[in-house]
Amino acid sequence: MNKDFTKIDLKNYLKFVFPTIISMVFISIYTMTDGIFVSNRLGSTALAALNITIPAFNFIFGSIFMVVIGASAIIGINLGAEDIEKANKNFSSMIYILVFICFFYLFIGIFFTDQIVKLLGAKGDMIPYAKDYLFILFIGSFCFVGKLFTEVFLRIEGRFNLSLAATIAGGLVNILFDYIFIYSLDMGIKGAAYGTILGAFINGLVGIIYFAFKSSKIRFVLTKIDFGFIRESLVNGSSEMVSSISAGITTFIFNMVLLNLVGELGVSSISIILYINFLLSSIFIGIATGIQPLISYNFGANLIENINKLLKISVIIIGTISAFSFIVCNIFRYQLISLFETKNAELIKMTAEAFKIFSFTFFINGFNILGSGFFTALNNGKYSAIISFSRSIIFKIVLVLTLPYLMGLKGVWLATPLSECLCLCLTVYFYKKVRRLEMKDDCSIELEVN
């Protein structure tokens, strides 16, 4: 029994969660770097073009995340049950699928980038920016595979500091080369894409070297693909895919609605808001992702009281961060907006007014992110996917398509916090439904799983 996974106190909790929070914050920072450098160097049209590509990027990222997170939860349960042979075979099957994903996106990038950009709604001067950026992301998708693989499985190995170091190194490389490519070499939006890919490559390289040459608990073995495991992984990780794709779909819907209401200026405004939202949400994603190995291991080891402790600590921390984020974002919203735009007074005013409404999202979304991650860790992909799908697709799209007719532009900004409120009700309902996590005298588990 691994004491690192079964000793649940604040110190050990932070040992797992803090590196993933820093990891996710760095991911959001160097994603924001693209937006900051591009908007300041190339203007609001290029920033709007970046936002146009988000749905495609989310699909790439989400499909990889689905496989890695879904598989890691099952492998974590294997390790908790001390079935190392099964864990290695599952790990190897996952590697085969990740290699297939790399070749799939290479094919898509070479033959279909132009069509995808037009499908996403790029118009006029946005088209060449969007094509250049998205083509490079497709071709370099193997770097995202390595990056996500490294961050998740180094944590399962207990190599938290190495995982964190890899993420920080990748983030710093991204920021540095974004500046070099965009400003020093004047490569335009292509420079932003190359910087992102290079940062992800450096991050992923650490994990690939570790698992190729070190004596790890989990290792690659020559085995046949276990399609049953792959199917279970895809179902279990489907919430991450749904969450990522649905974020892309809602971004697309937001873009279309705002283009009709206020034109390109609205797309630039929502771009700024979504970058800031991603930065703050990354903290909650880091918490939810960081405790997943702990929950999976303790579930496999039948230690239900530990899972309850993990949830309690997480709820307290998320509640505190939520309130702090809301206050900071309202006090310093002009300073945050000025990172992206300092010249267009109309854009600054629109974004500041929008942010006063949108910032209520931060009170709620952390609990929904935690809920989705919690059910994934328990191999209950069904509830996790329903939460993600309802939060990002059903509630948000219905609201963003209806509220503007009743409230105008304010309805667009109100759609997200209202959808989070509705989803929180659903999250609480599912948690109560599976509250059979309660400890029995014989420690039996009555949790509903797939």
Side-chain angles (χ1 to χ4, degrees):
M1 193 73 68
N2 191 327
K3 291 183 179 180
D4 284 340
F5 286 80
T6 57
K7 182 182 178 182
I8 307 301
D9 55 26
L10 184 59
K11 181 179 179 181
N12 203 46
Y13 177 95
L14 293 176
K15 179 181 177 181
F16 276 77
V17 169
F18 186 71
T20 60
I21 292 175
I22 299 299
S23 172
M24 292 306 302
V25 168
F26 258 85
I27 291 171
S28 64
I29 286 175
Y30 70 72
T31 300
M32 281 180 63
T33 301
D34 284 357
I36 292 171
F37 286 159
V38 165
S39 61
N40 282 281
R41 182 69 168 178
L42 304 174
S44 59
T45 299
L47 178 62
L50 276 183
N51 195 27
I52 288 291
T53 67
I54 285 177
F57 175 77
N58 284 349
F59 190 91
I60 297 171
F61 197 86
S63 61
I64 300 167
F65 210 37
M66 173 176 63
V67 174
V68 173
I69 289 294
S72 69
I74 298 171
I75 293 168
I77 292 172
N78 296 152
L79 293 173
E82 300 184 351
D83 190 348
I84 305 300
E85 182 180 357
K86 184 67 173 177
N88 286 337
K89 288 182 178 179
N90 287 339
F91 179 76
S92 303
S93 291
M94 180 199 68
I95 298 295
Y96 292 139
I97 298 303
L98 291 176
V99 171
F100 170 79
I101 288 175
C102 293
F103 283 104
F104 173 76
Y105 285 123
L106 178 64
F107 176 80
I108 293 295
I110 293 173
F111 294 103
F112 295 104
T113 298
D114 289 0
Q115 295 89 325
I116 291 173
V117 164
K118 292 177 182 178
L119 183 65
L120 293 175
K123 298 178 181 179
D125 293 339
M126 287 191 291
I127 292 177
Y129 286 126
K131 285 171 58 177
D132 287 344
Y133 190 79
L134 189 57
F135 174 76
I136 295 169
L137 292 189
F138 275 128
I139 299 301
S141 59
F142 69 93
C143 296
F144 298 122
V145 170
K147 170 184 170 52
L148 289 172
F149 164 80
T150 293
E151 291 170 355
V152 172
F153 280 91
L154 282 181
R155 289 197 300 270
I156 288 179
E157 281 283 307
R159 301 301 299 269
F160 313 104
N161 292 334
L162 184 59
S163 176
L164 178 59
T167 301
I168 292 175
L172 293 176
V173 166
N174 186 181
I175 294 170
L176 174 63
F177 280 90
D178 262 6
Y179 180 83
I180 292 173
F181 290 152
I182 296 173
Y183 282 87
S184 300
L185 300 180
D186 199 22
M187 294 173 65
I189 203 165
K190 290 182 180 179
Y194 284 128
T196 297
I197 292 299
L198 184 58
F201 174 77
I202 295 299
N203 192 337
L205 187 62
V206 175
I208 293 171
I209 292 173
Y210 176 87
F211 284 99
F213 298 105
K214 292 288 183 181
S215 257
S216 52
K217 289 183 294 185
I218 318 168
R219 61 183 62 208
F220 178 82
V221 295
L222 291 176
T223 183
K224 293 181 180 179
I225 297 179
D226 184 343
F227 288 101
F229 162 75
I230 295 300
R231 182 174 61 254
E232 189 177 1
S233 296
L234 295 179
V235 171
N236 189 42
S238 61
S239 63
E240 277 65 33
M241 179 67 167
V242 168
S243 180
S244 189
I245 290 179
S246 58
I249 292 173
T250 52
T251 299
F252 173 77
I253 299 296
F254 269 104
N255 289 342
M256 295 302 101
V257 171
L258 287 167
L259 280 171
N260 289 328
L261 285 175
V262 289
E264 184 184 298
L265 199 67
V267 177
S268 298
S269 181
I270 193 65
S271 300
I272 295 172
I273 291 173
L274 290 178
Y275 275 122
I276 297 172
N277 177 55
F278 184 36
L279 173 61
L280 296 174
S281 296
S282 66
I283 299 173
F284 305 135
I285 296 171
I287 292 173
T289 304
I291 66 170
Q292 279 186 6
L294 286 171
I295 292 174
S296 296
Y297 189 96
N298 282 280
F299 181 62
N302 205 12
L303 298 174
I304 307 308
E305 186 177 1
N306 285 350
I307 297 177
N308 291 328
K309 289 180 181 178
L310 287 168
L311 286 177
K312 183 177 180 180
I313 295 172
S314 299
V315 167
I316 293 172
I317 291 176
I318 287 175
T320 303
I321 294 173
S322 297
F324 181 76
S325 298
F326 176 80
I327 293 170
V328 168
C329 285
N330 276 280
I331 293 176
F332 298 105
R333 65 181 183 276
Y334 282 101
Q335 288 85 346
L336 290 170
I337 295 167
S338 68
L339 293 173
F340 299 86
E341 180 59 62
T342 57
K343 300 176 182 178
N344 192 325
E346 186 181 0
L347 176 57
I348 293 172
K349 180 180 178 182
M350 176 188 295
T351 307
E353 290 299 315
F355 209 72
K356 283 195 296 185
I357 301 172
F358 190 94
S359 60
F360 283 96
T361 300
F362 306 133
F363 271 127
I364 312 160
N365 65 340
F367 300 107
N368 291 325
I369 291 169
L370 174 65
S372 179
F374 168 69
F375 290 118
T376 296
L378 293 175
N379 197 23
N380 191 330
K382 180 177 70 174
Y383 285 174
S384 183
I386 291 173
I387 291 172
S388 296
F389 187 77
S390 299
R391 172 181 174 236
S392 301
I393 293 287
I394 297 177
F395 297 145
K396 192 174 292 185
I397 288 181
V398 168
L399 290 171
V400 81
L401 290 177
T402 56
L403 289 181
Y405 288 100
L406 302 174
M407 307 174 64
L409 188 58
K410 287 184 179 180
V412 179
W413 314 129
L414 189 59
T416 298
L418 280 182
S419 69
E420 293 287 354
C421 286
L422 293 173
C423 186
L424 183 60
C425 296
L426 187 64
T427 301
V428 172
Y429 168 74
F430 281 145
Y431 177 72
K432 287 183 176 180
K433 190 174 180 181
V434 299
R435 185 69 177 114
R436 303 176 205 177
L437 275 171
E438 298 170 359
M439 291 293 294
K440 305 292 183 181
D441 292 337
D442 61 352
C443 290
S444 63
I445 302 175
E446 299 178 22
L447 180 68
E448 297 178 19
V449 293
N450 288 339

